[in-house]
Amino acid sequence: MKEKWEELAEVKRELATRDWFMATSGNLSLKVSDEPLTFLVTASGKDKRKETKEDFLLVDADGRPAEATHVKPSAETLLHVEIYNKTNAGCVLHVHTVDNNIVSELYGDEGEVVFSNQEIIKAFGLWEEDAQFRIPIIPNFAHIPTLAKAFADHVHGDAGAVLIRNHGITVWGKDVFEAKKFLEACEFLCQYHVKLLLIKR
């Protein structure tokens, strides 16, 4: 599990340099085993720009600690549980940024945001000239089980993304590389869209 820990620590380190973990927000996870299902997830309330021996903990298929520990898993661990139980994903990344929050608010009433005519959507395997990339947007339910249920309705494959309105984005992929690639592409699209709207106005 040491290698998995360091792999997750490395992506946390990289995303932290981009200031994507404001005010201890965000959570990350990496699958450790399939049978039984276990995964490392960020501990709740930690400053993710710092590195400690308590940054992550191992949890089971229900999101409960799989080993004795005094730290608690991230509040939204149940979202990770939905992904790992429904797909073959190996990594989940969730960040709160200003731009993804703005986009989620702009299109929240429509329930999704659609991006097209952007070269970077090829990161999602969409190569057609008129391809569209859709990100569903769900309400930011304070009750985490309710949020997880709404979130689960949009978990259909081994890779994907869901925006939570005025909260953040959750992206998953088969491994750290793919999940990070998808997250970077989603953030690029959100940043571009917000800046384009500002220029047009």
Side-chain angles (χ1 to χ4, degrees), residues 153-170:
D153 290 340
H154 300 284
V155 178
H156 303 303
D158 298 339
V162 175
L163 276 163
I164 304 171
R165 189 169 185 171
N166 283 324
H167 178 148
I169 192 168
T170 300

mmCIF file of all heavy atoms in Angstrom, residues 153-170:
data_model
loop_
_atom_site.group_PDB
_atom_site.id
_atom_site.type_symbol
_atom_site.label_atom_id
_atom_site.label_comp_id
_atom_site.label_asym_id
_atom_site.label_seq_id
_atom_site.Cartn_x
_atom_site.Cartn_y
_atom_site.Cartn_z
ATOM 1 N N ASP A 153 -26.744 8.719 -9.916
ATOM 2 C CA ASP A 153 -27.555 8.670 -11.134
ATOM 3 C C ASP A 153 -26.745 9.029 -12.378
ATOM 4 O O ASP A 153 -27.185 8.771 -13.504
ATOM 5 C CB ASP A 153 -28.745 9.628 -11.019
ATOM 6 C CG ASP A 153 -29.784 9.145 -10.015
ATOM 7 O OD1 ASP A 153 -29.803 7.941 -9.699
ATOM 8 O OD2 ASP A 153 -30.574 9.985 -9.539
ATOM 9 N N HIS A 154 -25.562 9.625 -12.179
ATOM 10 C CA HIS A 154 -24.745 10.059 -13.311
ATOM 11 C C HIS A 154 -23.424 9.300 -13.406
ATOM 12 O O HIS A 154 -22.539 9.700 -14.165
ATOM 13 C CB HIS A 154 -24.481 11.563 -13.204
ATOM 14 C CG HIS A 154 -25.724 12.390 -13.207
ATOM 15 N ND1 HIS A 154 -26.447 12.650 -14.348
ATOM 16 C CD2 HIS A 154 -26.405 12.976 -12.175
ATOM 17 C CE1 HIS A 154 -27.507 13.384 -14.040
ATOM 18 N NE2 HIS A 154 -27.504 13.591 -12.738
ATOM 19 N N VAL A 155 -23.311 8.237 -12.638
ATOM 20 C CA VAL A 155 -22.104 7.411 -12.690
ATOM 21 C C VAL A 155 -22.406 6.203 -13.578
ATOM 22 O O VAL A 155 -23.068 5.261 -13.149
ATOM 23 C CB VAL A 155 -21.683 6.948 -11.277
ATOM 24 C CG1 VAL A 155 -20.461 6.045 -11.358
ATOM 25 C CG2 VAL A 155 -21.382 8.156 -10.392
ATOM 26 N N HIS A 156 -21.946 6.260 -14.829
ATOM 27 C CA HIS A 156 -22.311 5.231 -15.805
ATOM 28 C C HIS A 156 -21.127 4.502 -16.423
ATOM 29 O O HIS A 156 -21.299 3.511 -17.113
ATOM 30 C CB HIS A 156 -23.138 5.854 -16.932
ATOM 31 C CG HIS A 156 -24.364 6.557 -16.466
ATOM 32 N ND1 HIS A 156 -25.345 5.938 -15.731
ATOM 33 C CD2 HIS A 156 -24.771 7.852 -16.630
ATOM 34 C CE1 HIS A 156 -26.311 6.808 -15.458
ATOM 35 N NE2 HIS A 156 -25.982 7.973 -15.993
ATOM 36 N N GLY A 157 -19.929 4.999 -16.226
ATOM 37 C CA GLY A 157 -18.781 4.362 -16.867
ATOM 38 C C GLY A 157 -17.543 4.451 -16.013
ATOM 39 O O GLY A 157 -17.550 5.030 -14.924
ATOM 40 N N ASP A 158 -16.463 3.880 -16.519
ATOM 41 C CA ASP A 158 -15.206 3.842 -15.770
ATOM 42 C C ASP A 158 -14.486 5.176 -15.753
ATOM 43 O O ASP A 158 -13.439 5.315 -15.104
ATOM 44 C CB ASP A 158 -14.289 2.769 -16.366
ATOM 45 C CG ASP A 158 -14.890 1.380 -16.254
ATOM 46 O OD1 ASP A 158 -15.787 1.181 -15.405
ATOM 47 O OD2 ASP A 158 -14.469 0.496 -17.020
ATOM 48 N N ALA A 159 -15.005 6.155 -16.472
ATOM 49 C CA ALA A 159 -14.464 7.516 -16.450
ATOM 50 C C ALA A 159 -15.624 8.486 -16.611
ATOM 51 O O ALA A 159 -16.601 8.192 -17.300
ATOM 52 C CB ALA A 159 -13.450 7.713 -17.575
ATOM 53 N N GLY A 160 -15.533 9.629 -15.955
ATOM 54 C CA GLY A 160 -16.609 10.604 -16.066
ATOM 55 C C GLY A 160 -16.380 11.817 -15.196
ATOM 56 O O GLY A 160 -15.345 11.941 -14.528
ATOM 57 N N ALA A 161 -17.367 12.717 -15.214
ATOM 58 C CA ALA A 161 -17.280 13.940 -14.423
ATOM 59 C C ALA A 161 -18.680 14.401 -14.059
ATOM 60 O O ALA A 161 -19.614 14.257 -14.859
ATOM 61 C CB ALA A 161 -16.551 15.038 -15.205
ATOM 62 N N VAL A 162 -18.831 14.942 -12.861
ATOM 63 C CA VAL A 162 -20.095 15.516 -12.402
ATOM 64 C C VAL A 162 -19.794 16.806 -11.652
ATOM 65 O O VAL A 162 -18.901 16.834 -10.799
ATOM 66 C CB VAL A 162 -20.866 14.539 -11.468
ATOM 67 C CG1 VAL A 162 -22.115 15.214 -10.907
ATOM 68 C CG2 VAL A 162 -21.242 13.265 -12.197
ATOM 69 N N LEU A 163 -20.541 17.849 -11.982
ATOM 70 C CA LEU A 163 -20.451 19.109 -11.243
ATOM 71 C C LEU A 163 -21.528 19.136 -10.162
ATOM 72 O O LEU A 163 -22.673 18.744 -10.407
ATOM 73 C CB LEU A 163 -20.661 20.300 -12.175
ATOM 74 C CG LEU A 163 -19.449 20.817 -12.958
ATOM 75 C CD1 LEU A 163 -19.906 21.697 -14.112
ATOM 76 C CD2 LEU A 163 -18.504 21.590 -12.045
ATOM 77 N N ILE A 164 -21.152 19.608 -8.983
ATOM 78 C CA ILE A 164 -22.107 19.847 -7.911
ATOM 79 C C ILE A 164 -22.266 21.369 -7.815
ATOM 80 O O ILE A 164 -21.279 22.091 -7.669
ATOM 81 C CB ILE A 164 -21.623 19.271 -6.573
ATOM 82 C CG1 ILE A 164 -21.323 17.771 -6.724
ATOM 83 C CG2 ILE A 164 -22.660 19.492 -5.479
ATOM 84 C CD1 ILE A 164 -20.638 17.158 -5.516
ATOM 85 N N ARG A 165 -23.490 21.825 -7.931
ATOM 86 C CA ARG A 165 -23.745 23.262 -8.065
ATOM 87 C C ARG A 165 -23.180 24.063 -6.895
ATOM 88 O O ARG A 165 -23.439 23.767 -5.731
ATOM 89 C CB ARG A 165 -25.249 23.508 -8.195
ATOM 90 C CG ARG A 165 -25.599 24.943 -8.563
ATOM 91 C CD ARG A 165 -27.055 25.041 -8.929
ATOM 92 N NE ARG A 165 -27.422 26.373 -9.398
ATOM 93 C CZ ARG A 165 -28.591 26.682 -9.934
ATOM 94 N NH1 ARG A 165 -29.516 25.741 -10.082
ATOM 95 N NH2 ARG A 165 -28.847 27.922 -10.344
ATOM 96 N N ASN A 166 -22.406 25.095 -7.230
ATOM 97 C CA ASN A 166 -21.769 25.968 -6.244
ATOM 98 C C ASN A 166 -21.001 25.185 -5.187
ATOM 99 O O ASN A 166 -20.970 25.522 -4.007
ATOM 100 C CB ASN A 166 -22.804 26.884 -5.565
ATOM 101 C CG ASN A 166 -23.198 28.035 -6.456
ATOM 102 O OD1 ASN A 166 -22.378 28.561 -7.199
ATOM 103 N ND2 ASN A 166 -24.450 28.426 -6.406
ATOM 104 N N HIS A 167 -20.353 24.120 -5.641
ATOM 105 C CA HIS A 167 -19.603 23.262 -4.734
ATOM 106 C C HIS A 167 -18.274 22.855 -5.383
ATOM 107 O O HIS A 167 -17.221 23.281 -4.936
ATOM 108 C CB HIS A 167 -20.471 22.037 -4.401
ATOM 109 C CG HIS A 167 -19.827 21.030 -3.506
ATOM 110 N ND1 HIS A 167 -20.537 20.270 -2.611
ATOM 111 C CD2 HIS A 167 -18.534 20.617 -3.379
ATOM 112 C CE1 HIS A 167 -19.724 19.465 -1.948
ATOM 113 N NE2 HIS A 167 -18.499 19.654 -2.421
ATOM 114 N N GLY A 168 -18.335 22.028 -6.425
ATOM 115 C CA GLY A 168 -17.098 21.586 -7.050
ATOM 116 C C GLY A 168 -17.345 20.531 -8.105
ATOM 117 O O GLY A 168 -18.486 20.244 -8.466
ATOM 118 N N ILE A 169 -16.267 19.936 -8.580
ATOM 119 C CA ILE A 169 -16.359 18.911 -9.620
ATOM 120 C C ILE A 169 -15.708 17.630 -9.137
ATOM 121 O O ILE A 169 -14.689 17.656 -8.446
ATOM 122 C CB ILE A 169 -15.699 19.380 -10.935
ATOM 123 C CG1 ILE A 169 -16.050 18.440 -12.096
ATOM 124 C CG2 ILE A 169 -14.183 19.519 -10.785
ATOM 125 C CD1 ILE A 169 -15.692 18.988 -13.469
ATOM 126 N N THR A 170 -16.328 16.506 -9.476
ATOM 127 C CA THR A 170 -15.770 15.190 -9.188
ATOM 128 C C THR A 170 -15.492 14.493 -10.509
ATOM 129 O O THR A 170 -16.365 14.403 -11.366
ATOM 130 C CB THR A 170 -16.742 14.339 -8.348
ATOM 131 O OG1 THR A 170 -17.002 14.999 -7.109
ATOM 132 C CG2 THR A 170 -16.138 12.967 -8.053
#
